[in-house]
Amino acid sequence: MRAAIVRSTILVLISLPLLGLVDVQSHSIEVLPHWEKGDSVRLEITRARVKSADGTSTITGKTHTNFTIEVLSANDDGYLVGWTAGETKFNSPSQAEQSFLGQVVNLMNGRQIILEIDSHGVIKGVQNWKGVKAVALKSLEALATTEDLQKEKPDKALMSSLRAQWESMLGTKEQVEELCTREAQIYFMVLGREYARNDPFEYEDLLPNPLGGEAFPTHGRMALKTFDKQAGQAVITWSQIADPQQVARILESMMKEMSARLGGKPLEGEFPKSISMQDHAEIVVDVDTGWVKTLSHARSVNFGTRAQVDTTSIIRTAK
């Protein structure tokens, strides 16, 4: 009798880890924001760009920016969240921070963007978009009259080009929101969905064209990689691949239109056959609160024999 009890006890003890493992593997989770007014999170965002041509790679830039996220209000309908960038610092011993371009990068330093986020964590808009636009254009205009820049004697053509570029990027409410929420969209992308092992969420989407014009059709995929039930922490992967044929068609059309406006001939035979654009990311999220702990993201663009990889690393730092 005692032997039977011992054998039963041993079987139960052996089975406990297996039962726990089965539970984790079959478990589905829903990642939603559970925030309260006054919650505050600090992030460090590192960006880097690597360009390659004919097999040779070069790091062309690396920056670090601290961000502060503050929950300004919270109710059943959603949240108002302040998203504030600190100073962007360059990872190079050069004088980039003091240069004209360095100051352009820091136009939004200390400016709070108020995000309208629904109860599922989806960004619905920027409440203060008009103020953000006005401040950005005013700050850009003021740069040319500062004492330091007068000593530098910045290229007037460059100033005019940047001004025109910023005005085009900030022309409408939708453009302001797209520009102001790029990092936030990536940071909050895991929210508002249910995830289960071996059951990825796949969808069709459009990637905004950084050159303007028609957006690129893409196929996206989000999947639960691991889930630590005890720690309440999930690792989620995301990928997005642009349709190469559509990318080639859109870019070729843009190049030809640009050439025609300049009075040149269509670029027949000069457009590369191999073009691809894709994103990959891995996100570690606290399921109980919806705050992302770490995020690594890479966007790769291949254009014939040339390639560019932009990486973004987001780490939640101590308060």
Side-chain angles (χ1 to χ4, degrees), residues 10 18 82 107 147 152 165-166 194 275 280 311 318:
I10 291 173
L18 296 177
L107 277 179
E147 182 178 353
E152 272 189 38
Q165 184 177 356
W166 271 81
E194 187 173 301
I275 301 173
H280 293 281
T311 61

Side-chain angles (χ1 to χ4, degrees), residues 58-284:
T58 305
I59 299 177
T60 61
K62 190 172 185 180
T63 63
H64 306 272
T65 311
N66 291 323
F67 283 79
T68 301
I69 305 174
E70 182 182 1
V71 180
L72 305 176
S73 70
N75 55 46
D76 292 341
D77 295 327
Y79 308 87
L80 285 181
V81 174
W83 178 277
T84 307
E87 180 184 5
T88 294
K89 297 183 179 180
F90 294 76
N91 202 48
S92 134
S94 69
Q95 305 261 326
E97 290 91 341
Q98 286 75 43
S99 71
F100 175 67
L101 290 176
Q103 292 187 58
V104 170
V105 169
N106 277 294
L107 277 179
M108 295 307 295
N109 178 14
R111 311 292 184 184
Q112 186 180 71
I113 298 169
I114 301 178
L115 304 176
E116 299 170 342
I117 300 178
D118 70 15
S119 60
H120 287 81
V122 177
I123 298 175
K124 308 304 291 185
V126 175
Q127 187 186 71
N128 61 336
W129 71 273
K130 290 183 179 179
V132 169
K133 174 181 177 178
V135 166
L137 294 177
K138 185 177 180 181
S139 298
L140 184 62
E141 191 70 36
L143 285 181
T145 61
T146 63
E147 182 178 353
D148 291 339
L149 288 175
Q150 287 175 354
K151 292 178 181 179
E152 272 189 38
K153 295 181 180 179
D155 189 333
K156 290 184 178 180
L158 174 61
M159 175 66 188
S160 177
S161 174
L162 284 171
R163 170 80 186 190
Q165 184 177 356
W166 271 81
E167 286 181 340
S168 66
M169 291 190 299
L170 298 169
T172 66
K173 178 177 184 288
E174 291 72 23
Q175 287 176 310
V176 174
E177 291 178 333
E178 194 279 325
L179 181 65
C180 292
T181 63
R182 285 178 181 173
E183 273 108 356
Q185 292 283 4
I186 294 174
Y187 181 76
F188 293 121
M189 73 164 67
V190 297
L191 300 179
R193 292 190 176 91
E194 187 173 301
Y195 301 90
R197 289 294 299 271
N198 304 317
D199 186 18
F201 169 69
E202 301 194 33
Y203 60 97
E204 305 302 318
D205 203 357
L206 292 173
L207 176 66
N209 190 331
L211 301 175
E214 187 178 350
F216 304 118
T218 64
H219 178 77
R221 184 180 189 272
M222 300 192 78
L224 177 63
K225 182 178 180 181
T226 62
F227 174 56
D228 186 332
K229 187 176 181 180
Q230 185 175 0
Q233 179 174 290
V235 178
I236 296 168
T237 60
W238 172 67
S239 64
Q240 177 177 243
I241 301 176
D243 184 323
Q245 293 183 339
Q246 293 299 318
V247 170
R249 177 188 64 78
I250 292 169
L251 291 180
E252 185 171 14
S253 176
M254 292 179 66
M255 297 277 284
K256 289 182 177 180
E257 288 177 7
M258 184 180 297
S259 177
R261 286 199 303 269
L262 297 175
K265 297 181 179 180
L267 303 177
E268 297 289 347
E270 298 181 17
F271 205 76
K273 296 180 180 179
S274 175
I275 301 173
S276 66
M277 299 178 67
Q278 53 188 324
D279 292 87
H280 293 281
E282 184 167 291
I283 305 104
V284 179

